[in-house]
Amino acid sequence: MSTPSPNTEQMTSQPAILDQTIGSRLKETVGQHPDRLAVKSTTLRLTYRELDEQSDALAAALQALGIQAGDRVACSLGTSIAHLLVIYACFKSGAILTSLNPSYTSQQVVSALRHVDVRCYIASSDILLPYKAPVSSSTLLKSVFAACDQDDGQVSVSSVIVVSNGAPNEQAIQDSRVWAFEGLLEAHRGRVVEPATKLHQDDTISLQFTSGTTSLPKAVALDHWSILNNANVVSHLWETTCEDVFVCTVPLYHTTGITALVLAAMLHGACLSMPCEAFNAQQMLRAVVEDRCTILHGVPTMFQAFVRLRYSPEFAAHDFSHIRTGFIGAAPIVSSLREKLNQQLNLSGIGNAYGMTETCPAVAVSTRKDPDEQKFYSVGRPIPHATVRIAARDDPHQTLNVGERGEVLVAGMLMKEYWGDPERTAAAITTTVSDDGIKTRWMHTGDEGVLDMQGFLTVTGRIKDIIIRGGENIYPPEVENVLMQCPGIESVAVVGIDDEAYGEVVGAFIVLTIGTVISLIEDTKSDCIDLRQTTGLQTANDASGSVVLTAAKAREWVRTRLSHHLVPKYIFLVDELPTTPTGKIEKHKLRTQGCAALAITGAIASER
């Protein structure tokens, strides 16, 4: 007898579906809250009326440059009011916003421009990345123009708009195709945009580049309807009002930044605070305090940075009780970090969120009303108007029972396609037909998960990240959570390392807390490898009262709490864990690094 299926739409209140374009919805908000503060930075503030007027002016400027509805406009900007204006200008005019990560190399930018046939490219004069010195974009722009001037015609950018965000640059590129953002805005001030063709809610308005689990980037095509309704649903679950303040921790070039920040705030007339263009934990946390942030989002690495600052003199006396809700997403959060956030930052009201670019992006969230134990282990329940089912890994048409692990499939608010890539689109989406002929598109997430009887979804890991040791499945978050509680360990990532006997074994990449030293006296060097650049091997004699950690102690910490096959065979010491700009740990890089380090260590040992 089959176990009954869970109710995957447990949310008690269902927000209505919005059948409109984003531009038309913005007009409604402006009518309701014209003089409320829409966005603020360290140098500028705009009300909703001013935001509407300035984005109209920029949309009119794009049209004057020959950009029509459906043309692609690429944008390489940090978190700034200029970026916000570009987003709304594209959505109003019908131009397709093509978001590019500011950290892209010249080669990556040119490849993206070629892939989606971009007509207009918008970049900042200085490239600002987290905790790095500004770099002039002149070299990048020269590469773009060099590609445009080639005879093959594969890059057809006709205009480049430069946003000034640094000191005047004498080496700024001189070209008739370059326009100053500020000058265009001023020249078209007071104009109202009128698209040449009527915009429709099903029109593609955003292309988001994502590599997913492959090394080949894909441009995810999203429409008005999907991202506007995704934002409407999640903001409804957060009980957002015009009194709320969001601090822009998530970058605006990411789908989450557009939906969970830009559109979620706009739908209710709330305020966006933009303290810095690239993530800086101290500046972000300062804005959280000064602006009395009420809804806070982020990824685990961001919240870890906030915890480290919690007891610095600037923030020690603050209780953070004004933070009502929000989410932690993009990567699994171990329960030990969640406990620290609740105890040290008063963040028990913040839930979890799960999704992907292709799902616009939210799929499941937990809210402040959900039990704390669910926030420790699940990503919440499927949001209204989205459906989750767990399918057999080898048969997407076979739905598994409650409590059974399989691939997470999602229906509801999905991407339209991977731009210009029908084969990968077909591989990512499975269509089912019900007995009454209704077709449903299901997005393959590539994640393994399980649903319980209350509809809560627990994601056990990326299917490709699951370690299979001698036929046994090992789920990295389980080991990571235990190691994170070990004295002396700041952060950790667990990956599978190739092994002749077992196929894969557990490898743990560890970042030590400040003041911790490592002793290898009782360890073999092949089982604990120091990959740090800033610190050489230290012994217990160097401790001087600091916490002393040995690889054996770390293994014993796991062995006494988990079964023996989960104990890391290899421990790698690193200065930091590689992450994407949105904070996801790049485990494929760690796997490559670990296997390479072991190959070198083995070669040296054999020579001896």
Side-chain angles (χ1 to χ4, degrees):
M1 183 174 180
S2 297
T3 306
S5 298
N7 180 356
T8 60
E9 292 194 23
Q10 292 280 329
M11 304 300 183
T12 56
S13 178
Q14 296 273 335
I17 286 291
L18 303 178
D19 290 320
Q20 60 188 145
T21 65
I22 293 170
S24 64
R25 180 62 192 213
L26 175 60
K27 292 294 184 185
E28 290 182 14
T29 299
V30 172
Q32 296 165 356
H33 307 285
D35 299 318
R36 290 202 71 87
L37 188 63
V39 59
K40 60 163 293 194
S41 69
T42 56
T43 58
L44 183 62
R45 293 168 176 250
L46 295 180
T47 64
Y48 272 96
R49 179 189 289 111
E50 292 166 334
L51 172 64
D52 188 42
E53 292 171 348
Q54 293 202 26
S55 57
D56 262 353
L58 184 58
L62 291 176
Q63 292 179 338
L65 293 174
I67 305 303
Q68 302 176 2
D71 286 342
R72 272 70 69 199
V73 174
C75 177
S76 295
L77 295 175
T79 301
S80 64
I81 291 179
H83 196 162
L84 184 65
L85 294 177
V86 171
I87 290 171
Y88 278 121
C90 288
F91 291 174
K92 287 180 174 183
S93 67
I96 299 176
L97 174 70
T98 303
S99 299
L100 303 183
N101 187 328
S103 68
Y104 275 4
T105 63
S106 297
Q107 183 178 1
Q108 287 174 305
V109 169
V110 170
S111 177
L113 300 180
R114 179 183 296 113
H115 180 56
V116 300
D117 191 21
V118 166
R119 289 286 311 282
C120 177
Y121 177 48
I122 303 175
S124 52
S125 58
D126 282 2
I127 301 170
L128 302 180
L129 300 177
Y131 303 111
K132 293 184 179 180
V135 176
S136 171
S137 64
S138 58
T139 300
L140 168 63
L141 296 181
K142 288 176 182 177
S143 297
V144 170
F145 284 123
C148 291
D149 294 335
Q150 289 180 357
D151 294 334
D152 58 13
Q154 293 187 13
V155 178
S156 55
V157 173
S158 58
S159 302
V160 170
I161 300 174
V162 177
V163 177
S164 177
N165 67 337
N169 183 3
E170 294 180 358
Q171 296 182 348
I173 191 167
Q174 301 296 318
D175 192 287
S176 60
R177 292 166 286 188
V178 174
W179 300 83
F181 177 88
E182 297 77 9
L184 286 174
L185 206 61
E186 183 61 34
H188 295 83
R189 191 176 301 278
R191 298 192 184 182
V192 178
V193 62
E194 293 293 344
T197 58
K198 184 175 177 59
L199 304 184
H200 191 270
Q201 63 187 23
D202 294 333
D203 292 341
T204 297
I205 55 162
S206 176
L207 294 177
Q208 298 278 333
F209 276 92
T210 176
S211 59
T213 56
T214 73
S215 58
L216 299 174
K218 298 166 285 190
V220 180
L222 308 174
D223 57 28
H224 287 269
W225 186 91
S226 293
I227 62 174
L228 182 62
N229 279 289
N230 201 279
N232 187 45
V233 168
V234 293
S235 62
H236 175 87
L237 296 174
W238 298 323
E239 302 172 274
T240 310
T241 74
C242 62
E243 301 292 334
D244 279 310
V245 177
F246 295 75
V247 172
C248 294
T249 51
V250 182
L252 300 189
Y253 61 80
H254 194 277
T255 314
T256 303
I258 293 176
T259 55
L261 289 175
V262 172
L263 299 183
M266 179 273 288
L267 283 162
H268 304 274
C271 178
L272 297 173
S273 172
M274 298 181 177
C276 45
E277 288 196 34
F279 182 79
N280 179 293
Q282 186 168 20
Q283 292 176 20
M284 291 286 185
L285 199 57
R286 185 177 298 140
V288 168
V289 172
E290 293 177 354
D291 296 328
R292 305 290 294 179
C293 170
T294 57
I295 301 179
L296 183 64
H297 305 324
V299 301
T301 50
M302 292 177 179
F303 282 100
Q304 279 183 313
F306 293 154
V307 168
R308 287 194 290 270
L309 289 170
R310 173 66 179 93
Y311 294 109
S312 65
E314 183 175 0
F315 306 112
H318 198 75
D319 67 1
F320 297 93
S321 60
H322 49 84
I323 302 174
R324 188 182 79 255
T325 188
F327 75 79
I328 304 170
I333 178 169
V334 296
S335 57
S336 54
L337 175 57
R338 163 65 75 176
E339 191 169 5
K340 285 182 182 179
L341 296 178
N342 292 356
Q343 293 176 351
Q344 300 180 28
L345 286 172
N346 240 337
L347 298 184
S348 59
I350 289 186
N352 298 331
Y354 167 73
M356 57 193 299
T357 303
E358 291 88 337
T359 57
C360 303
V363 169
V365 301
S366 54
T367 70
R368 64 188 182 92
K369 297 178 180 178
D370 287 327
D372 282 345
E373 58 267 23
Q374 290 293 353
K375 296 174 189 172
F376 276 89
Y377 300 107
S378 82
V379 294
R381 289 176 286 193
I383 63 175
H385 309 301
T387 306
V388 168
R389 69 182 177 92
I390 307 300
R393 286 200 216 168
D394 56 353
D395 183 2
H397 295 278
Q398 179 188 351
T399 301
L400 301 181
N401 294 323
V402 170
E404 293 184 319
R405 290 178 171 181
E407 185 179 10
V408 179
L409 268 60
V410 180
M413 293 158 274
L414 303 183
M415 70 171 187
K416 297 179 72 172
E417 62 179 342
Y418 290 126
W419 186 272
D421 201 335
E423 289 186 7
R424 283 204 278 187
T425 301
I429 296 177
T430 291
T431 301
T432 59
V433 182
S434 64
D435 293 339
D436 53 2
I438 297 176
K439 293 183 178 181
T440 304
R441 299 167 75 238
W442 296 94
M443 182 74 206
H444 291 260
T445 65
D447 290 322
E448 185 189 70
V450 60
L451 285 164
D452 68 16
M453 283 302 299
Q454 288 72 47
F456 284 96
L457 172 67
T458 298
V459 177
T460 50
R462 294 291 296 169
I463 289 174
K464 291 186 177 181
D465 285 343
I466 294 172
I467 303 167
I468 304 177
R469 179 187 181 274
E472 295 182 274
N473 286 358
I474 296 174
Y475 299 89
E478 186 176 9
V479 185
E480 291 165 349
N481 183 50
V482 169
L483 282 171
M484 278 285 289
Q485 299 172 60
C486 179
I489 294 179
E490 168 74 18
S491 55
V492 62
V494 168
V495 303
I497 300 295
D498 294 342
D499 184 82
E500 290 185 5
Y502 291 97
E504 284 184 307
V505 292
V506 178
F509 286 76
I510 290 174
V511 178
L512 302 177
T513 55
I514 296 175
T516 298
V517 295
I518 190 77
S519 172
L520 300 183
I521 294 174
E522 53 191 291
D523 301 305
T524 62
K525 290 186 177 181
S526 62
D527 288 345
C528 184
I529 300 176
D530 195 333
L531 300 176
R532 295 172 295 173
Q533 300 297 314
T534 58
T535 319
L537 294 177
Q538 295 172 295
T539 67
N541 295 329
D542 300 320
S544 304
S546 301
V547 174
V548 179
L549 180 69
T550 68
K553 284 182 181 179
R555 292 189 180 94
E556 185 62 22
W557 183 270
V558 176
R559 186 177 290 108
T560 57
R561 291 161 176 80
L562 299 173
S563 56
H564 70 92
H565 70 287
L566 300 176
V567 176
K569 178 175 181 179
Y570 299 109
I571 289 178
F572 303 91
L573 304 176
V574 292
D575 290 312
E576 60 183 2
L577 300 174
T579 60
T580 68
T582 53
K584 294 182 182 180
I585 296 174
E586 297 179 298
K587 291 195 172 184
H588 65 283
K589 290 185 177 179
L590 294 177
R591 268 193 295 272
T592 300
Q593 186 179 14
C595 291
L598 287 170
I600 293 172
T601 303
I604 294 174
S606 64
E607 289 176 3
R608 291 175 180 169

